[in-house]
Amino acid sequence: MKLKNKILLYTSVLFIILLIVINSTIYFLFKNIMVSAEISGAEKEIENIVTGMGSANESVATNELLRAYVPADGKIQILGSDGKNIASSVSPSEQELVKTEIQFYPREIKKEITVEDKHYYFYSVPMIWKKGNLVNLQITKSIQPAYDQSETLRTILLAVTFIATLPVVASSRLMTKLIITPIQTLTKTMKDIMKSNQFKRIPLGNSEKDELYQMGETFNQMMDLLETNFKKQEQFIANASHELKTPLTVIESYAGLLKRRGLDKPEVFHESVDAIRSEAVRMREMTEQLLQLARPEESWNVNFHPVQLNEILERIVKSFCQAYHREIRLISDDNITVTSDEQKLKQLLYIIIENAIKYSEEEIKITLKKEKKTAIISVIDRGIGIPKEELPKIFDRFYRVDKARSRKYGGTGLGLSLAKEIANAISATIDIDSSPGLGTSVSIRLPLG
Ligand code: ADP
């Protein structure tokens, strides 16, 4: 069954059952009260008749006496012990009582009886009549008004139940529509997305910001996120294949040159081998960085330990000076220790220092200082610098400020984006400040402790 029909059925049926239960309770309570009141009224009247007849003058004829005491809506009868009628009187409105069966009761009897679908209260009491005969004085009094009123109430309650059902069904339909329409729109949008392979949004309208609006809004936000990530991935794949194609083309063309003229000309041989080697190194670096970037951060296995920054920086500076034959000056405050992952921190520092070496020619300065609860390592070069408008983009994958020049330096455009991911993993931050032609300062902030 459809959700729409289910909601409609459950709410309507539940409400109707509730209405029936309430109305039935009202009806039965009312009927009980009315009948009890009618019976107690009848009992009082009968009591008066019995007392009145007991004290009546013996000389009055029985028939006269009964006519005087007959209830306005009932019957009075004197019955002999042999079950034969001695005298009786019936009120004009209750003529059906004339034909009722008669029976002698040796004891006092009070009961409700039905004659031709009409309700009566019957009372019989044995008494000694004139001449010392044992007789029954039997009084029957109508209690039908209580039943008539209950019947009227039942008709009214039935009508109310029926009339109330219509607005209940109508409001259930409206409620169902309110809930179902956004769900149907969501399902339709999802189907459209599957069919068209496009990221679509749900039209939200100006409705109140209820749960259904929030559901639509969340869905749209999720679509935004998926679309952004999808575009990024597409861009990444396009860039990666493009970046790998260039070194492969260079290798291919140099290999061709080697084949054609490498054996005859030693200078061509050396140039080709150098170029092939440097492109191969660049490709290796790029694939290593790509693999690391493609790995989810959770599988990075970060191990936090106390790391003595002064020692690490001294060792790094020494090895870079030797490897690149460049001047690197270290200015540091004493004894700064942080809790970090040493290997990841070193990798981060290598990327930043290699960039400083690549994009500058003069001396590089590295400073280490403490500021409140943070250790700051700054790598400052006096190189080509980065234009201000390019600064926000340099952490993007494959982004290089000057592609031609960067290629000359062997850049992949992946270094800083990897640096950023490493920094995130070890709770560090990276800030870059740069002026074209004057140089660049990269600061890494690490929490102390
Ligand atoms: P690459 O491998 O090309 O160096 P990065 O992601 O490390 O890639 O850097 C992105 C770009 O930022 C570089 O191509 C370069 O243009 C610029 N850049 C990074 N560091 C420096 C620096 N110290 N001086 C000048 N430009 C820099």
Side-chain angles (χ1 to χ4, degrees):
M1 199 195 285
K2 279 189 170 181
L3 184 63
K4 189 170 132 190
N5 298 338
K6 268 189 202 166
I7 297 176
L8 191 66
L9 187 75
Y10 292 158
T11 47
S12 309
V13 167
L14 202 74
F15 189 83
I16 291 166
I17 289 176
L18 204 72
L19 214 61
I20 290 173
V21 169
I22 293 172
N23 287 348
S24 307
T25 316
I26 293 174
Y27 169 71
F28 286 112
L29 279 177
F30 178 81
K31 191 176 159 187
N32 263 347
I33 293 168
M34 290 304 287
V35 171
S36 303
E38 199 71 38
I39 287 175
S40 78
E43 274 178 343
K44 265 191 202 127
E45 198 179 330
I46 289 168
E47 224 171 80
N48 290 339
I49 295 172
V50 173
T51 333
M53 282 192 57
S55 57
N57 195 327
E58 290 230 344
S59 62
V60 181
T62 310
N63 276 341
E64 291 294 314
L65 192 68
L66 292 190
R67 225 172 287 136
Y69 281 103
V70 66
D73 49 356
K75 173 184 172 188
I76 188 162
Q77 183 169 39
I78 304 235
L79 204 66
S81 55
D82 54 0
K84 285 194 179 146
N85 179 32
I86 295 173
S88 68
S89 177
V90 180
S91 67
S93 61
E94 310 299 327
Q95 284 305 307
E96 56 271 14
L97 289 175
V98 174
K99 294 165 243 157
T100 48
E101 266 181 37
I102 49 173
Q103 192 190 339
F104 180 83
Y105 297 98
R107 281 190 201 90
E108 187 189 49
I109 292 280
K110 288 174 182 176
K111 63 176 179 184
E112 214 186 304
I113 57 165
T114 317
V115 178
E116 290 185 8
D117 292 337
K118 284 176 93 178
H119 295 263
Y120 294 93
Y121 187 65
F122 174 78
Y123 178 75
S124 171
V125 64
M127 64 193 288
I128 303 296
W129 198 237
K130 299 169 186 171
K131 299 175 203 160
N133 290 348
L134 178 65
V135 294
N136 260 186
L137 170 62
Q138 294 186 345
I139 302 165
T140 311
K141 182 172 165 24
S142 169
I143 50 168
Q144 188 58 32
Y147 283 91
D148 288 344
Q149 282 166 8
S150 305
E151 198 54 33
T152 314
L153 181 72
R154 197 173 71 166
T155 317
I156 293 171
L157 291 177
L158 272 175
V160 166
T161 311
F162 181 72
I163 293 167
T165 309
L166 301 177
V168 168
V169 173
S171 71
S172 303
R173 281 185 81 95
L174 189 76
M175 199 175 78
T176 314
K177 204 175 160 217
L178 277 176
I179 299 171
I180 297 297
T181 313
I183 297 176
Q184 282 173 337
T185 319
L186 184 72
T187 317
K188 189 181 166 292
T189 315
M190 284 176 179
K191 279 185 183 161
D192 280 357
I193 290 171
M194 282 197 296
K195 252 192 227 153
S196 65
N197 252 335
Q198 278 175 355
F199 293 91
K200 295 198 171 176
R201 313 289 185 278
I202 299 175
L204 290 176
N206 301 323
S207 61
E208 287 166 46
K209 304 219 164 172
D210 55 14
E211 286 82 351
L212 291 168
Y213 181 93
Q214 281 168 13
M215 183 184 79
E217 199 179 42
T218 313
F219 178 84
N220 286 353
Q221 284 167 354
M222 195 180 75
M223 278 297 115
D224 288 345
L225 191 75
L226 282 177
E227 190 170 14
T228 316
N229 282 344
F230 183 76
K231 279 189 179 153
K232 264 192 193 167
Q233 278 193 12
E234 252 185 359
Q235 186 69 36
F236 180 74
I237 293 167
N239 286 342
S241 44
H242 179 260
E243 293 298 325
L244 285 169
K245 220 164 77 189
T246 320
L248 283 173
T249 315
V250 175
I251 290 172
E252 195 185 353
S253 71
Y254 271 108
L257 188 67
L258 259 182
K259 196 176 175 195
R260 273 180 275 114
R261 292 197 278 153
L263 285 177
D264 312 332
K265 295 196 172 173
E267 66 278 11
V268 172
F269 174 83
H270 287 296
E271 187 196 329
S272 305
V273 169
D274 282 349
I276 288 172
R277 191 177 171 279
S278 92
E279 290 302 322
V281 168
R282 217 167 78 83
M283 269 173 65
R284 180 178 48 77
E285 277 174 8
M286 200 190 292
T287 31
E288 274 169 8
Q289 287 172 330
L290 272 174
L291 281 176
Q292 195 165 351
L293 279 170
R295 246 192 300 154
E297 217 175 275
E298 302 85 64
S299 61
W300 277 29
N301 292 331
V302 183
N303 289 317
F304 283 98
H305 290 295
V307 179
Q308 224 292 320
L309 289 181
N310 304 67
E311 276 176 26
I312 285 198
L313 283 173
E314 271 164 31
R315 266 187 274 136
I316 292 178
V317 166
K318 205 170 167 190
S319 57
F320 267 87
C321 287
Q322 273 176 6
Y324 290 93
H325 306 291
R326 289 284 299 268
E327 260 185 69
I328 304 174
R329 190 150 55 96
L330 177 66
I331 306 162
S332 55
D333 288 354
D334 283 341
N335 205 11
I336 300 180
T337 306
V338 291
T339 305
S340 190
D341 180 312
E342 190 174 327
Q343 288 314 314
K344 299 271 176 301
L345 180 60
K346 271 186 182 168
Q347 200 181 354
L348 172 60
L349 285 166
Y350 285 170
I351 294 171
I352 307 294
I353 300 170
E354 267 174 5
N355 273 354
I357 291 173
K358 260 191 284 182
Y359 301 110
S360 76
E361 277 163 8
E362 294 178 34
E363 182 196 62
I364 293 164
K365 194 165 82 177
I366 298 179
T367 63
L368 168 65
K369 59 184 177 191
K370 240 190 240 179
E371 219 178 73
K372 291 182 188 159
K373 289 188 172 173
T374 319
I376 307 171
I377 305 168
S378 301
V379 179
I380 305 152
D381 66 61
R382 277 181 279 159
I384 57 174
I386 307 163
K388 280 270 174 295
E389 63 279 8
E390 304 283 348
L391 279 177
K393 297 182 237 166
I394 56 170
F395 289 102
D396 292 350
R397 290 173 189 184
F398 296 113
Y399 190 81
R400 285 168 296 176
V401 175
D402 182 340
K403 292 214 175 209
R405 194 157 44 175
S406 189
R407 168 157 288 281
K408 183 183 106 190
Y409 298 120
T412 60
L414 288 171
L416 283 180
S417 58
L418 185 57
K420 185 129 195 204
E421 302 235 349
I422 296 170
N424 281 345
I426 60 168
S427 311
T429 56
I430 309 174
D431 296 309
I432 299 196
D433 190 22
S434 186
S435 301
L438 292 178
T440 304
S441 160
V442 183
S443 299
I444 302 162
R445 288 168 191 271
L446 297 149
L448 278 176

